[in-house]
């Protein structure tokens, strides 16, 4: 897993959404409802362990949650700090590895989040299990892990699989087009993200970003969550735009 893909994507990431600010609001609302149902209230410590540029962090902060945000990508972390400043919000933000969470103390979190298909960047079951065990480590007894991932079991594996993200026009008259191309290799696929910016005078520039994913199924992730020592593991649909997996650290023995 490398940070280069998200370092380069960070300035453009919001343009992958039809309306990123609306996504921040709706995901914040959905996660707040889920956390409340799981006994995690406003003001309790939450770690967004794959924060990116802040889609979930920002949405939860405006709802009164105390969020620490971390990501492997320095570029994404810098963009989140910028977004926080522009919105007048405060959060502790740092570079850290989802696999180790070395900057987070044992038992310090009421909830840990890793959303937007972050776990499939880890290319082996062993790496995913390492990340899940460290997520459990930093949870307090009874604390919840919340993941969102693609439902790879339902995705047709065709190569190349061309996935356009639509065309966006900014306030300066520039057009922005993003297209993903997936090329499958067994249970893995190589992703190429073509980011094209067209200036008002017609000049175009295209960047090509590459990454590799492990198409791990939600069933397998639930098995790994149980192996990592998490309890009450389940899949929830219709919470976010991707399936959500939840589990908790067992309550301390009496």
């Amino acid at each position: 897993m490398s940070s280069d893909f998200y370092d380069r994507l960070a300035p453009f990431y919001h343009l992958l959404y039809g309306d990123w600010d609306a996504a921040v609001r709706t995901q914040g609302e959905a996660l707040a409802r889920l956390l409340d149902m799981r006994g995690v209230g406003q003001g309790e410590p939450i770690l967004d362990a794959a924060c990116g540029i802040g889609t979930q962090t920002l949405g939860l902060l405006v709802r009164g949650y105390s969020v620490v945000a971390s990501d492997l990508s320095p570029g994404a972390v810098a963009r989140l700090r910028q977004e926080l400043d522009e919105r007048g919000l405060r959060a502790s933000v740092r570079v850290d590895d989802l696999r180790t969470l070395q900057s987070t103390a044992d038992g310090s979190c009421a909830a840990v989040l890793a959303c937007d298909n972050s776990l499939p960047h880890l290319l082996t079951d062993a790496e995913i299990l390492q990340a899940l065990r460290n997520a459990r480590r930093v949870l307090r007894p009874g604390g919840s892990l919340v993941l969102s991932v693609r439902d790879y079991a339902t995705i047709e594996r065709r190569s190349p699989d061309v996935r356009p993200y639509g065309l966006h026009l900014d306030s300066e008259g520039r057009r922005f087009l993003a297209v993903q191309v997936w090329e499958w290799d067994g249970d893995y696929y190589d992703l190429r993200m073509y980011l094209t910016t067209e200036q008002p005078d017609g000049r175009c520039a295209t960047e090509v970003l590459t990454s590799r994913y492990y198409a791990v199924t939600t069933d397998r992730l639930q098995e790994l969550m149980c192996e990592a020592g998490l309890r009450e593991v389940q899949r929830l649909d219709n919470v976010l735009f991707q399936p959500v997996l939840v589990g908790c650290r067992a309550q301390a023995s009496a």
Side-chain angles (χ1 to χ4, degrees):
M1 183 173 65
S2 168
S3 69
D4 180 68
F5 179 83
Y6 286 104
D7 287 341
R8 295 175 62 196
L9 183 59
F12 306 100
Y13 191 91
H14 64 291
L15 295 171
L16 301 181
Y17 290 81
D19 184 336
W20 183 58
D21 287 329
V24 168
R25 290 192 300 272
T26 57
Q27 291 199 38
E29 290 167 2
L31 288 170
R33 286 194 298 269
L34 177 60
L35 291 170
D36 182 66
M37 290 173 55
R38 300 186 66 81
V40 181
Q42 293 180 351
E44 296 191 80
I46 295 171
L47 172 66
D48 187 352
C51 64
I53 69 168
T55 307
Q56 293 80 38
T57 293
L58 297 170
L60 288 171
L61 284 171
V62 299
R63 282 159 185 81
Y65 286 88
S66 176
V67 184
V68 173
S70 64
D71 200 280
L72 186 64
S73 165
V77 165
R79 173 72 190 276
L80 174 53
R81 289 188 176 121
Q82 174 187 332
E83 296 294 334
L84 290 167
D85 288 344
E86 291 178 357
R87 289 167 168 78
L89 298 171
R90 296 178 62 111
S92 175
V93 183
R94 60 200 182 209
V95 175
D96 203 352
D97 191 326
L98 177 61
R99 291 166 291 193
T100 61
L101 301 179
Q102 62 182 1
S103 299
T104 304
D106 295 1
S108 60
C109 302
V112 174
L113 311 180
C115 294
D116 283 347
N117 207 47
S118 54
L119 274 185
H121 280 290
L122 306 179
L123 299 181
T124 65
D125 287 357
E127 282 193 309
I128 292 173
L129 187 58
Q130 179 189 15
L132 294 172
R133 283 175 171 156
N134 278 301
R136 179 190 175 279
R137 171 183 62 80
V138 304
L139 285 170
R140 69 187 186 189
S144 291
L145 173 64
V146 178
L147 312 172
S148 73
V149 291
R150 290 185 185 274
D151 190 356
Y152 285 113
T154 66
I155 294 175
E156 180 184 355
R157 298 188 178 190
R158 61 177 186 268
S159 289
D161 185 353
V162 180
R163 295 170 168 252
Y165 271 77
L167 183 70
H168 299 271
L169 186 68
D170 71 12
S171 59
E172 298 179 17
R174 293 175 296 195
R175 294 172 178 264
F176 176 84
L177 177 67
V179 178
Q180 284 189 9
V181 178
W182 297 11
E183 296 173 289
W184 286 90
D185 175 19
D187 286 333
Y188 300 88
Y189 62 96
D190 293 307
L191 178 147
R192 285 176 172 78
M193 177 85 77
Y194 295 84
L195 304 172
T196 298
T197 303
E198 180 186 358
Q199 301 295 334
D201 62 6
R203 290 179 294 114
C204 290
T206 299
E207 289 194 56
V208 184
L209 283 57
T210 61
S211 189
R212 187 169 174 87
Y213 284 82
Y214 171 25
V216 59
T217 65
T218 58
D219 286 347
R220 181 58 181 148
L221 282 174
Q222 288 177 88
E223 292 172 355
L224 292 169
M225 290 170 73
C226 292
E227 188 175 343
L230 293 157
R231 300 290 182 262
E232 300 176 21
V233 172
Q234 59 182 312
R235 170 175 163 164
L236 304 174
D237 294 315
N238 303 315
V239 176
L240 299 174
F241 68 99
Q242 295 174 338
V244 170
L245 305 180
V246 295
C248 68
R249 179 171 180 172
Q251 293 283 358
S253 299

